[in-house]
Structures are given as structure tokens and as C-alpha cells.
Amino acid sequence: MINSIKNQFKQQLELLQDKKYKKPAFEAYNMKRAFVTLDQAFEYVGDNSKYQQRITLLLCIQFLFYSFFVMGMPYLLQNPSKYCTDGICIEYPNCNNRIDSLIGFDSIAKEFGLFCNGRKAFIAALFFVGQMFGGFTFPILANIFGRRKILLFGMSLGSISILVGSLCHNLLSLYALFFIAGFGLSGYETVVYVYITEISALRFRSIASSLLIVIWSSSMLIYPFIVDILQSWRLLMMWSIGVPLLITVVLDYFYFVESPRWLISKQQYDECRRVFRFMSIFNKRRPFEFNFMEELDKFNSRCVKVASMKKVETQIKLTQQSNQNAGYWELFKRSKLLIQTLILVQMWFLRYFTYYGLQFSVSTFGISMTTTLRMLALVELMTGMSSLYFKLKYPRIVSLQFCLLTMILSATLSYIDIPSECQGSLCWQQILHLLSAILIKASITIYNSMLNTYTGEAYVTTVRSYGYGVCMTFGQLGSTFAPLYVSYVQEIYQQASAITIVGLLALIALGLTWFLQETYKKDMYDNLTDEVMATQTLPLINQDMQFDEIELQQLSR
């Protein structure tokens, strides 16, 4: 009788305690004796719940200020509006003659005289070269030290470089700081895409990556107003970029947790459980206490003793060997990964070259730079929001092919010659060029969002950061060439833009997409051996082994 009353009281107490928790996706009688996959663990703690929303908010704030620097570079480097010699002012510089004074926005090009011989394109190219090296280096560090630490390091390095650069009065030092800023921010961006892929399940990945695109594009609607207020490149770099980014690093330190998928790939199961427990409590679920499927072999080794055998190859042993040997070379020594990586490298090059080539060509469309930037930003904002619909409804490869086909058709409009009498006025040829730029901006925005998600899903956890690193490195090669190519073409053809070559690059990428495998609504693998075991029936123990004795032992708790 007393025991019955105690049990009823215990049940009532548990019901009262349960009221402060939300109902999870599933429940277990005893979590400590249950095994779940990582996807099930994400479902239990809540996919796209309060914690994931907090992470998304912080990343969106960081991407906003980060995009102020990258997308606002045309403002930081813009040429003076007039060049004066002996009291006579003209709109275009005569670099062979003396220039007494300059009129226009207080930019880097104006202060350091970088408006002749493509010198301002050099400082932009240095930033993108730094991004190229950062995209290659940071994945190695992220795979060794973890996603969270390297993410914080990259943003700290980039924000401090920008802050110091705003106080710099030496051109060579400014060159170095632009390179370091590109190195740190590219590393941050690379690890962020890996992080949002690994921190939750499918829905969060789709929403988070699309929101980052939307925030990135919205910066060009906001930044012109900030430029009108501050009116100096030093104030812009300090107060609209450097200081805010440094503050967000502090917030990231307190709220960001390590990637559970990375912890599992390193066999840090207890730490991974603590991460999920923190996420579950933050999302108001009962504290996470499940075991992971990857731990089955460890528990089996306590229960079953296999005596007198030749060799035993278990899945966990194969996984450990795979994780210990994983590196950039894994992308090239396996034929499937090699083909996939080579195709994605070309697609990422197209992404960055088209995006930044269009950005640095805004002066060729017959209307003011600010108006063009705002128009393209509005287009990017609207298509960025629509990219989520494409992610949730359509396969990745089909969406990418649709965007590439749109770019090919749109680029043909840019081959129409603009007559000399159109200079200084808007004619129908320039309207077609502007329409071409708008269509390419819309398609490249959706293409960016889909390519980010596809790349994260195409690689397993142990090489995901390396895959992103290679793609980001060659992608930044496209951003490095973009300002140089635009500057070269404009010096020769005056009003020509970079989008004339986009059609050819998109045509090549469209043909290569037929060799990629679809990842839409498919499981993500954490180890190279997982993918093999998902397609083949491999015995955990070789079938030709002979056992002398199998002794069952009680599981010790």
C-alpha cells in the first residue's frame, strides 16, 4: 500500500516537472539505455527551435556587418567625382598630367591616389587573395581544433584587421591589413557554412542558409544611408564594420557550442552529449541523455567477449581509421570525391566571379552607382527570400540547372553593343544591359543559396570542411580575378561589363551538373565508411573466421 502511494506520488511529481518541458519528437522509457542517430538527436532537442533561432540571429547580425565591408567596397574605393588642375575640373583623370586637387567622397582611392593604372583594383584583389588563402587554411584548422574555436578566431582576426585599418595612414600597411582581413573573414565564412550544416537537421540548414543570403543582400539597401551619414572611409570601416563585428565575437563566445557532428567524428561522445543536453534544456526539452549509435561497438565490447580469432574489423574501428587519415588528399584519391570536387570547384568559381564581377560593373549601366546598387540589392533580397521555397520544394540539381540556364540566356543580352551617343544618357541598349544584370543577379542569388546547401550535403563530416575549403579557395580565385577583369575590360572597351563572359562559364557548369548526385531529402553521412556501408552489405566480422569461444558478460554500469 505504502509503495503504491509512493509510486503514485512519484508519477504526479514527474507530471508536474514535465509541464515546464515541451513535448519532444519522440520519447524513451530509459534514455540512458537507448541509442539514437545524430539526425534523431537533432529531432529530439528541436530542429529550428529557440537555440537554433538564436544562432541564426547572431550569424545574421555578423553577416550584415561583414557584407558592409565586402559589398560596400565600391564606396570605400570609389574614384573622386572631379579632378582639378589649375582651377579647371574634369570628371575623368588625366594620369599623365599634374592633378592639384580632388572633389568627391573621402575614399581610399582619393586619399592615397589609387585612381590611375588600376591601383584601386589591386587593393580589392589583395583582399580576395587573402580570402583565397583563408578558405584553404581554415578548414584544416577547423578539422583539428573544432568548428567553434576557428569560427571565433576567423571573425576576431577579420574584425581587428578592419578596425586597425581604419586608423592606418601607410598604404603598404593598409594593403597588408586588407589581405589579413580577407584571410580571417573568408575562414569565418567557410566554417560558418560547415557549422550551420552540422548544428541541426534539414529544416534549419535550409532556413539558416537562405536567411544569410537575404541579410547579405539587404546590406546594400542599408549601407548607402550609412555612407551619407559618415562620409569617410575611416569612419565607415571603424563604426559600421570593425567595432560591431568585434562585439558579435563576444556574443558568439557565450552562445555558440561545438558542432555535434565534428565531436562524433572525433569520438568525443560525452562532450557531444553535453552539447545536446545544453541544446535540449535551452529549447525546453527534457535533458538529453541518449547514447549514440556510434557507441554501440563500445557497449558491445563490454557485453560480448570474443576469444581466439584471426582478425575483427568493426565499423567503429574502420571509422576511427578513416577519421585519423582524413585530409585534403581524401578528396583526390577517391574517384567519386575527385569528380565531385572538380565539378564543384568550377561551379564555385562561377559563383564568385559572376557575383563580384557584377558588383564592380555597376558603373557601366547608364545610371548612378548608388541607384544601380540599390536596385540590384532589392532584386537579391527578393530572390534570396524565394530561395527557401526552392530548397524545400525542388531537388538541388534541378534548381541549380534552372539558375544556370537563366544566366546563359540573360548573358546574351550583354553582347549588344552600346553606341557612343548613349554616353551620358540612357538608351534602349543600356536598358537591355541593365535587364541582363538584373536577371543574372536574381539567378546567381538562388544559385548561391542552393550551392551552399548542396556542398554541405554532398560531403561527409570528416571531409566536409576540406570540401568547403577547396571550393572556397577556387571560388575566391574568381573574386580575385573579377575586379582585375572588370578594370581591364573597362579600360579597353569603356562601358563593357564582366557579365559578357558569364554565359560561357554557366554553359560549362550546366553540362557538368549531369555528373553530380542528388542530395535532396537524403541522409547525411558522418564518415567515409558510412557511405560505403549504406550502399554495400559489409559484415562487421569476416565470415570465414572460426571462433573457439564466445562468452557473454554482464554489462557493467
Side-chain angles (χ1 to χ4, degrees):
M1 183 65 178
I2 295 177
N3 289 335
S4 176
I5 294 174
K6 286 183 177 180
N7 289 334
Q8 291 180 8
F9 176 77
K10 184 178 179 181
Q11 291 175 2
Q12 292 296 325
L13 181 62
E14 289 178 352
L15 288 174
L16 290 173
Q17 291 176 342
D18 285 342
K19 287 184 178 180
K20 67 178 182 180
Y21 296 117
K22 294 182 178 179
K23 185 177 180 180
F26 59 89
E27 295 177 330
Y29 175 74
N30 188 344
M31 276 192 270
K32 293 183 178 180
R33 293 183 178 272
F35 292 81
V36 296
T37 64
L38 273 176
D39 288 333
Q40 290 172 331
F42 283 125
E43 290 178 13
Y44 178 84
V45 300
D47 181 28
N48 196 35
S49 294
K50 185 178 178 181
Y51 177 76
Q52 286 82 359
Q53 292 168 2
R54 183 72 58 88
I55 293 295
T56 305
L57 176 62
L58 289 176
L59 289 177
C60 285
I61 293 172
Q62 283 186 327
F63 257 63
L64 179 65
F65 296 118
Y66 173 28
S67 62
F68 281 170
F69 186 60
V70 180
M71 302 297 289
M73 206 166 288
Y75 287 102
L76 299 175
L77 300 176
Q78 68 177 294
N79 288 335
S81 57
K82 290 185 179 180
Y83 307 82
C84 301
T85 303
D86 297 329
I88 300 175
C89 298
I90 58 176
E91 294 183 358
Y92 298 98
N94 187 344
C95 297
N96 296 323
N97 295 334
R98 172 177 52 86
I99 298 176
D100 295 333
S101 61
L102 302 168
I103 299 175
F105 176 77
D106 184 17
S107 66
I108 295 175
K110 178 185 175 184
E111 180 173 335
F112 292 98
L114 304 180
F115 43 80
C116 286
N117 303 320
R119 294 175 66 194
K120 74 171 187 178
F122 179 70
I123 191 171
L126 270 178
F127 173 78
F128 291 123
V129 168
Q131 287 201 311
M132 184 174 64
F133 281 99
F136 183 83
T137 305
F138 273 71
I140 301 175
L141 301 177
N143 221 42
I144 297 174
F145 300 104
R147 319 304 196 202
R148 176 179 175 272
K149 292 179 181 178
I150 302 306
L151 186 150
L152 293 173
F153 172 69
M155 180 50 71
S156 301
L157 186 64
S159 58
I160 292 173
S161 301
I162 294 172
L163 188 60
V164 175
S166 67
L167 304 173
C168 183
H169 293 275
N170 181 273
L171 183 58
L172 292 179
S173 299
L174 192 62
Y175 282 160
L177 289 168
F178 262 66
F179 175 86
I180 295 172
F183 180 81
L185 291 176
S186 174
Y188 159 81
E189 185 180 358
T190 305
V191 179
V192 159
Y193 289 135
V194 176
Y195 187 75
I196 62 176
T197 302
E198 298 178 352
I199 200 65
S200 193
L202 173 63
R203 184 172 178 80
F204 171 79
R205 290 199 303 269
S206 301
I207 293 175
S209 57
S210 295
L211 277 177
L212 293 182
I213 296 293
V214 170
I215 293 298
W216 183 277
S217 58
S218 65
S219 65
M220 290 316 299
L221 295 175
I222 303 171
Y223 201 60
F225 297 103
I226 300 176
V227 172
D228 291 339
I229 294 172
L230 297 180
Q231 285 292 317
S232 170
W233 72 271
R234 294 186 182 277
L235 295 177
L236 286 171
M237 285 182 60
M238 177 180 291
W239 297 111
S240 70
I241 305 169
V243 173
L245 283 179
L246 207 54
I247 293 174
T248 61
V249 173
V250 179
L251 296 175
D252 289 353
Y253 178 81
F254 290 105
Y255 283 106
F256 280 31
V257 295
E258 186 51 82
S259 160
R261 291 188 182 275
W262 180 81
L263 291 171
I264 287 293
S265 71
K266 298 298 181 181
Q267 288 88 48
Q268 299 182 25
Y269 303 119
D270 292 335
E271 182 63 27
C272 186
R273 226 180 325 273
R274 280 192 287 270
V275 168
F276 276 118
R277 187 177 297 119
F278 171 79
M279 293 170 64
S280 62
I281 294 174
F282 199 99
N283 291 335
K284 295 185 178 180
R285 267 73 171 179
R286 292 187 65 85
F288 182 93
E289 295 179 348
F290 288 101
N291 298 298
F292 301 106
M293 286 295 184
E294 288 79 0
E295 295 180 278
L296 271 175
D297 283 356
K298 183 182 71 173
F299 281 84
N300 288 341
S301 64
R302 298 184 191 176
C303 298
V304 180
K305 176 181 179 181
V306 182
S308 180
M309 70 188 81
K310 294 180 180 179
K311 183 181 180 182
V312 174
E313 288 284 350
T314 62
Q315 180 174 350
I316 191 66
K317 185 175 180 179
L318 291 172
T319 299
Q320 290 172 345
Q321 293 174 353
S322 172
N323 293 338
Q324 292 171 357
N325 299 326
Y328 273 115
W329 55 87
E330 290 288 349
L331 303 177
F332 302 101
K333 75 178 186 180
R334 298 170 183 261
S335 58
K336 178 183 175 182
L337 284 177
L338 175 61
I339 295 172
Q340 174 181 290
T341 301
L342 292 177
I343 295 173
L344 289 176
V345 157
Q346 193 275 341
M347 297 180 72
W348 276 72
F349 180 91
L350 168 66
R351 167 198 169 176
Y352 277 92
F353 181 85
T354 303
Y355 190 85
Y356 290 107
L358 196 61
Q359 189 72 9
F360 284 97
S361 300
V362 292
S363 61
T364 66
F365 300 122
I367 55 179
S368 69
M369 184 177 70
T370 300
T371 304
T372 306
L373 285 174
R374 285 175 175 170
M375 184 185 301
L376 294 179
L378 184 60
V379 171
E380 186 175 356
L381 179 64
M382 295 174 62
T383 52
M385 290 187 289
S386 66
S387 66
L388 179 59
Y389 174 80
F390 280 86
K391 283 184 180 181
L392 297 177
K393 295 293 183 180
Y394 297 102
R396 315 299 190 207
I397 303 299
V398 173
S399 300
L400 288 171
Q401 290 172 341
F402 171 76
C403 295
L404 290 168
L405 185 60
T406 305
M407 280 189 275
I408 295 169
L409 298 175
S410 303
T412 57
L413 297 176
S414 64
Y415 284 94
I416 299 175
D417 292 330
I418 300 177
S420 57
E421 55 266 22
C422 284
Q423 302 295 332
S425 61
L426 191 63
C427 56
W428 68 269
Q429 291 92 340
Q430 286 182 323
I431 293 176
L432 288 180
H433 275 241
L434 183 59
L435 178 62
S436 172
I438 290 174
L439 291 175
I440 290 179
K441 171 63 83 169
S443 54
I444 198 65
T445 302
I446 300 176
Y447 178 85
N448 287 352
S449 183
M450 297 301 302
L451 190 60
N452 283 336
T453 303
Y454 178 82
T455 304
E457 294 173 345
Y459 289 103
V460 299
T461 300
T462 51
V463 296
R464 183 172 294 119
S465 61
Y466 296 122
Y468 264 114
V470 171
C471 292
M472 187 72 74
T473 299
F474 282 89
Q476 296 298 348
L477 197 60
S479 356
T480 304
F481 282 134
L484 299 175
Y485 177 83
V486 171
S487 178
Y488 173 77
V489 170
Q490 287 181 354
E491 284 184 9
I492 297 177
Y493 302 105
Q494 298 302 318
Q495 291 298 314
S497 67
I499 59 178
T500 52
I501 200 175
V502 167
L504 177 61
L505 295 174
L507 183 63
I508 296 172
L510 180 62
L512 293 175
T513 55
W514 297 101
F515 298 96
L516 293 176
Q517 292 186 349
E518 185 56 68
T519 61
Y520 181 60
K521 291 186 177 180
K522 293 187 177 180
D523 293 335
M524 286 178 58
Y525 300 110
D526 295 308
N527 302 284
L528 292 168
T529 52
D530 290 346
E531 197 168 8
V532 175
M533 291 182 180
T535 56
Q536 300 180 16
T537 305
L538 295 179
L540 294 183
I541 301 178
N542 295 341
Q543 293 179 350
D544 58 348
M545 292 180 183
Q546 300 295 326
F547 302 99
D548 295 335
E549 176 187 4
I550 296 180
E551 179 185 349
L552 297 180
Q553 295 182 336
Q554 184 177 2
L555 177 64
S556 57
R557 298 300 295 176

